[in-house]
Amino acid sequence: MATTKTDPKSAVASEREVKKGHKTYEGLSRDQLIEAYRHMYASRRVDDREILLKRQQKIFFQISGAGHEAVGVAAALALKAGYDWFYPYYRDRALCLALGATAYDMLLQAVGSADDPSSGGRQMPSHWSLPELNIVTGSSPTGTQILQAVGCAETGRYLAAHPDAAKKATGDYRQFKEVKFHSDEITYVSLGDGTTSEGEFWEALNTASNSRLPLIFVVEDNGYAISVPVEVQTAGGSISRLVAGFPDFHFEEVDGTDPVASYAAFVRSVRHCRSGHGPAFVHAHVIRPYSHSLSDDERLYRPDAERQRDAQRDPITRMQMFLIREGILDEKGINQLEKQVDDDLQVATDRALQAPAPTPDTVTKYIYSPDLNPASSVFETQPSAARSETADGKKAAPKTMADLITTTLRDEMRRDERIVIFGEDVADCSREQYLKQKMVKGKGGVFKLTAGLQMEFGSDRVFNSPIAEANIVGRATGMATRGLKPVVEIQFFDYIWPAMMQLRNELPLIRWRSYNTFSAPCVIRVAIGGYLTGGAIYHSQCGESIFTHIPGLRVVFPSNAMDAAGLLRTAIRCDDPVLFLEHKRLYRETYGRAPYPGPDYMVPFGKAKVVQSGTDLSVITYGAVVPRALQALQKLEREHGVKAELIDLRSLNPFDWDTIASSVRKTNRALVAYEDSLSWGYGAEIAARIGDQMFEHLDAPVRRVAAMDVFVAYHPDLENAILPQTGDLFRAMSELSEY
Ligand SMILES: Cc1ncc(C[n+]2csc(CCOP(=O)(O)OP(=O)(O)O)c2C)c(N)n1
Ligand SMILES: [Mg+2]
């Protein structure tokens, strides 16, 4: 909204009265109250205009902030735009206007224009995102913003303790990220009453409380979640009552249709947070006069009497009456202010309707970083030869994959202070004093891959998370959005699923949905896979194709120590979110050990390795199937004289189509092998591409060898039968070579 001010003469001599010691309304001046009304009225009018435009089919969706205006402007008055951080939800139109967003910005998103500053026409209206105001890109799933806000609040604290980490550096992702912070900054996050039912809300409260974060939770309670009333969502009907036990919080319950009372609640909350006492919780009772959205008609589930009761609390009319009653604006002044807003809105609407539409050729822009391609030669470095020898010139002992992952993490943490590591059990010992007094050795991960890192880098760089996978990924996303580089661990792939909402709908989408104005490059390390003899259903799972199916997420899966070191370093230094899959069976395997390749060794993504070259058949695989396929291949050559070519993909998204294609062109036969269950697995895509693009080069059908379509069972006989074995690979290779 344009920020033109009302003619001061029509305001009833406000400043003079304040100076004379008249009421200041919880510290708000009359001018501030007039401005508050301007934003509230503008917010309502933008909603009304969007509704009209939707009915005229000039925009495609509408969801309103009606009834939530007062609490929004109150928050904006108590917090600092461009200084504090904001994770607002869709009803926070008035908040965003009061922070400095314009009606034009909002209408550009409603029409889906290329000029929409929040998403370039990619997101629905009311999905706020304005980097210069520290309004962070939001999404549609209810509640996913909350854990990200926790990560955001943690970042401010971390950077205050590590100010050098905010500095720019060249040669990696840090070159492309402006990192700003203030040591007393606050993060604001809002949500609806219904959204308090999401588990992530409780995970966020838990961590905010436990870490005493400067984070204000605002629950805008309009009594309904679409058609479901609050007493059905919330035990006892009051969220305030349920959260009251969280330590170190400042709690407020307020009439959110009253801007002055709401402002006072925020001022107290801000004081608590800024002074480092912990988080705050503002439970604001508001109304929802316009149904849930234009797709909803609340008369189907709310009787007139109830709706009329709400209407009496409408913040717009209440505020009007308040201004008149207090002599702050007379009717003429109100009319003048409203006319200005209406006129400005008309201009903004006309402009937005003329704004250019996005062109379809842009749809793939910003899925990944436009600045730093992890498949490029920047990430192609040689192992340092000197390091593979010991001081006396002897060959250094080969290291396991586990060793080299730990070493890479350590090297990178020394190099880059933005890296933080957290996850379940990853710390050496949460009770630091035990370490300091040398009472214990420390754990450092259930597979010990992070052992010693807390001791070297401190407990604010390496720490344990609660057992809550959404918490891990959500917080990492918030931190990465601010510029830290979280390298977090999911203890077992089998338990990644609570994080799925964050992994599918949030982390990989931050850049694309904000049209490259936000990004969240970070690394999620995950222990994956079976062949464990007793790993059973819940410690053997694969499922990588579920993640390669997500645009915006890089997925790598090394099969040996050198590749693990090189790919992990690329994952850490690159500018995209990476799922780094570590096969548990390969952690300490004799196969694939290697000497330490030095602190700068990198393997680019999307480059397969030809493990053994051949002419008769291409075997395309990755992970723990690589050593099994190698055995089968060697047997095939010994027994049948067939020379198969073994390709280790290493990187699943991006994957190396060129190497596959040139191999199949040479051998005319292809076998795709993978550990996950056969149907709909990763190999299906590779097989389909070969069938589609290499049909005329094939002398045989494209075959797959994979696990049976069943979970991995506990007894070793069952496990052996279910997972693809060397014998299965050998048989398939023989058949295919004879086809
Ligand atoms: C995870 C998820 N589930 C369901 C929906 C569909 N949905 C959108 S808004 C909404 C109701 C939210 O109610 P509340 O949190 O009270 O916010 P309000 O809209 O009332 O302000 C639902 C169910 C969604 N967006 N995300
Ligand atoms: Mg609600």
Side-chain angles (χ1 to χ4, degrees), residues 68 89 91 192-194 220-226 288:
H68 293 231
Y89 91 122
R91 301 227 192 264
D193 46 289
E220 296 177 21
D221 183 351
N222 55 24
Y224 277 90
I226 308 187
R288 193 197 68 180

Side-chain angles (χ1 to χ4, degrees), residues 145-419:
Q145 72 277 26
I146 317 171
L147 284 165
Q148 292 174 33
V150 169
C152 173
E154 290 176 288
T155 303
R157 172 175 299 174
Y158 181 85
L159 291 171
H162 298 263
D164 286 349
K167 287 187 185 153
K168 278 215 164 174
T170 50
D172 62 33
Y173 75 97
R174 288 173 293 178
Q175 198 173 329
F176 308 103
K177 191 105 171 174
E178 207 64 60
V179 177
K180 47 183 185 174
F181 73 99
H182 295 96
S183 55
D184 67 343
E185 67 178 47
I186 293 174
T187 300
Y188 163 104
V189 64
S190 62
L191 56 142
D193 46 289
T195 300
T196 65
S197 302
E198 294 282 4
E200 291 191 16
F201 165 72
W202 297 93
E203 291 184 22
L205 287 172
N206 187 36
T207 300
S209 170
N210 223 356
S211 301
R212 296 173 60 153
L213 294 174
L215 173 59
I216 303 184
F217 293 77
V218 181
V219 173
E220 296 177 21
D221 183 351
N222 55 24
Y224 277 90
I226 308 187
S227 68
V228 183
V230 64
E231 72 276 11
V232 173
Q233 294 281 349
T234 306
S238 166
I239 194 63
S240 278
R241 212 172 330 139
L242 297 191
V243 301
F246 279 103
D248 295 314
F249 261 91
H250 173 81
F251 292 105
E252 293 282 348
E253 184 168 4
V254 68
D255 177 356
T257 64
D258 177 343
V260 177
S262 300
Y263 174 74
F266 275 108
V267 168
R268 291 187 289 268
S269 301
V270 165
R271 196 179 304 133
H272 179 79
C273 290
R274 264 207 228 290
S275 54
H277 294 315
F281 189 93
V282 177
H283 178 191
H285 293 277
V286 295
I287 59 162
R288 193 197 68 180
Y290 285 3
S291 293
H292 172 72
S293 72
L294 270 200
S295 321
D296 173 47
D297 179 0
E298 67 175 2
R299 286 170 303 188
L300 295 173
Y301 51 87
R302 296 185 79 184
D304 284 346
E306 184 184 303
R307 294 172 56 238
Q308 278 156 16
R309 265 200 310 280
D310 262 14
Q312 283 161 13
R313 291 176 57 223
D314 191 307
I316 305 295
T317 41
R318 277 186 72 183
M319 182 67 171
Q320 259 182 19
M321 277 147 61
F322 168 83
L323 293 173
I324 292 170
R325 195 175 60 238
E326 293 294 316
I328 295 169
L329 276 184
D330 55 19
E331 234 170 277
K332 187 163 156 250
I334 299 250
N335 288 340
Q336 202 177 354
L337 178 152
E338 292 182 353
K339 181 164 184 322
Q340 266 175 8
V341 170
D342 290 340
D343 290 349
D344 291 345
L345 181 57
Q346 187 58 50
V347 173
T349 307
D350 293 342
R351 280 178 68 207
L353 289 171
Q354 297 300 317
T359 54
D361 60 316
T362 60
V363 291
T364 54
K365 249 179 140 175
Y366 309 135
I367 298 174
Y368 301 103
S369 170
D371 300 311
L372 197 54
N373 179 2
S376 69
S377 58
V378 175
F379 295 95
E380 193 150 20
T381 60
Q382 296 306 310
S384 63
R387 304 205 179 237
S388 53
E389 291 174 7
T390 56
D392 51 7
K394 289 203 189 112
K395 249 188 147 199
K399 303 285 184 199
T400 63
M401 184 196 263
D403 290 336
L404 288 192
I405 288 173
T406 307
T407 311
T408 306
L409 292 172
R410 185 181 298 118
D411 286 347
E412 289 303 298
M413 288 194 84
R414 285 179 185 161
R415 182 181 169 273
D416 178 359
E417 208 179 344
R418 290 194 201 172
I419 298 174

